[in-house]
């Protein structure tokens, strides 16, 4: 009926509030559907061109196509709506549930921690990266497939400078783990790298004590 139709939710990644879009529905649930974005018919004034060439394929971040100031407002509202719904606080105004998100002075290069993943069984993607295995983030809408990421535009310059060496060291570790697992007749286990930009430089050790600066602290 019309009332049910008006309340039906269609989840469309990469569509923005206020846009008119053409979508392809590929999955239906009891109260909502999931769809892929086919084209934007009426574009939001807040839509911008993502800097990262992997945007849309990489699941590491989803909002680069949205102006940074609008990203902060959208994330604030998203958290408030989830809190209102799950906490049964729908009678309270959303702006009383969550304080506005605190933004960075930079729209890119602000992330000071990166945790790329690697698979247990190395997949070598050819010669352009010198035979390195896939080391990166989960592909968009996938909990299994990894996408190789050689640079992250939202990570700090220091992290991106340290990433090639970290990837090379990880590739050697992956090879050793695969060899040991093969001898033991076991399946090699994947893992996660750590790159943290601190006052002491970029560190990669999980247990290392470091100094951080947050605002003026």
């Amino acid at each position: 009926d019309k009332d049910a139709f008006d309340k039906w939710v269609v989840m469309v990644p990469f569509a923005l509030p206020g846009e008119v879009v053409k979508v392809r529905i590929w999955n239906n649930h009891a109260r909502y559907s999931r769809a892929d974005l086919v084209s934007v018919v009426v574009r939001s004034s807040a839509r911008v061109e993502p800097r990262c060439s992997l945007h849309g394929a990489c699941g590491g971040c989803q909002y680069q196509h949205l102006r940074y100031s609008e990203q902060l407002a959208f994330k604030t509202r998203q958290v408030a709506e989830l809190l209102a719904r799950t906490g049964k606080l729908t009678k309270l105004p959303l702006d009383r549930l969550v304080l506005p998100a605190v933004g960075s002075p930079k729209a890119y290069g602000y992330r000071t921690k990166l945790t790329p993943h690697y698979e247990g069984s190395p997949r070598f993607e050819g010669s352009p990266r010198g035979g390195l295995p896939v080391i990166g983030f989960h592909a968009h809408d996938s909990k299994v497939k990894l996408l190789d990421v050689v640079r992250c535009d939202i990570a700090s310059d220091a992290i991106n400078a340290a990433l090639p060496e970290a990837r090379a060291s990880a590739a050697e570790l992956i090879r050793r783990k695969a060899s040991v697992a093969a001898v033991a007749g076991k399946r090699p286990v994947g893992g996660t790298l750590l790159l943290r930009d601190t006052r002491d430089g970029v560190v990669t050790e999980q247990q290392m004590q470091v100094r951080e600066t947050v605002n003026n602290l």
Side-chain angles (χ1 to χ4, degrees):
D1 58 49
K2 184 179 183 303
D3 185 59
F5 179 80
D6 289 341
K7 293 181 180 179
W8 194 263
V9 174
V10 180
M11 301 176 67
V12 187
F14 310 115
L16 298 180
E19 288 187 331
V20 177
V21 297
K22 183 182 292 186
V23 306
R24 181 181 294 110
I25 294 177
W26 58 271
N27 186 247
N28 291 310
H29 293 264
R31 298 178 182 273
Y32 68 94
S33 297
R34 301 179 72 185
D36 291 328
L37 177 64
V38 175
S39 63
V40 178
V41 179
V42 178
R43 179 187 178 102
S44 167
S45 60
R47 180 177 285 273
V48 296
E49 192 65 28
R51 179 187 296 182
C52 180
S53 61
L54 296 178
H55 176 73
C58 177
C61 54
Q62 297 82 35
Y63 301 127
Q64 280 193 35
H65 61 303
L66 181 61
R67 187 185 303 119
Y68 185 64
S69 59
E70 297 298 326
Q71 289 182 32
L72 300 176
F74 185 77
K75 291 176 181 179
T76 300
R77 180 174 178 177
Q78 194 173 35
V79 173
E81 289 178 345
L82 287 170
L83 183 60
R85 185 166 62 252
T86 59
K88 303 185 185 303
L89 301 171
T90 54
K91 293 184 178 180
L92 290 175
L94 293 181
D95 58 5
R96 291 183 57 188
L97 291 176
V98 178
L99 294 175
V102 178
S104 166
K106 300 187 291 184
Y108 287 92
Y110 58 82
R111 181 168 289 182
T112 58
K113 178 184 176 184
L114 211 64
T115 53
H117 311 294
Y118 60 86
E119 296 174 337
S121 299
R123 282 189 296 122
F124 295 90
E125 298 275 312
S127 59
R129 294 189 301 280
L132 288 175
V134 173
I135 304 170
F137 301 110
H138 287 102
H140 166 66
D141 211 23
S142 174
K143 296 180 179 180
V144 179
K145 182 181 178 182
L146 286 181
L147 189 70
D148 197 71
V149 177
V150 299
R151 173 184 171 80
C152 179
D153 283 302
I154 64 173
S156 69
D157 291 340
I159 285 181
N160 279 311
L163 190 54
E165 182 178 348
R167 284 169 53 84
S169 297
E172 183 58 34
L173 173 63
I174 293 168
R175 292 187 181 95
R176 292 201 306 268
K177 290 174 67 174
S179 297
V180 171
V183 171
K186 298 180 179 179
R187 181 180 177 86
V189 179
T192 301
L193 308 181
L194 169 68
L195 294 96
R196 185 187 293 276
D197 189 358
T198 75
R199 290 173 57 188
D200 304 302
V202 176
V203 300
T204 57
E205 297 295 330
Q206 297 277 357
Q207 304 299 324
M208 185 174 178
Q209 294 185 354
V210 297
R211 295 177 297 167
E212 296 273 12
T213 299
V214 179
N215 291 332
N216 296 321
L217 301 178

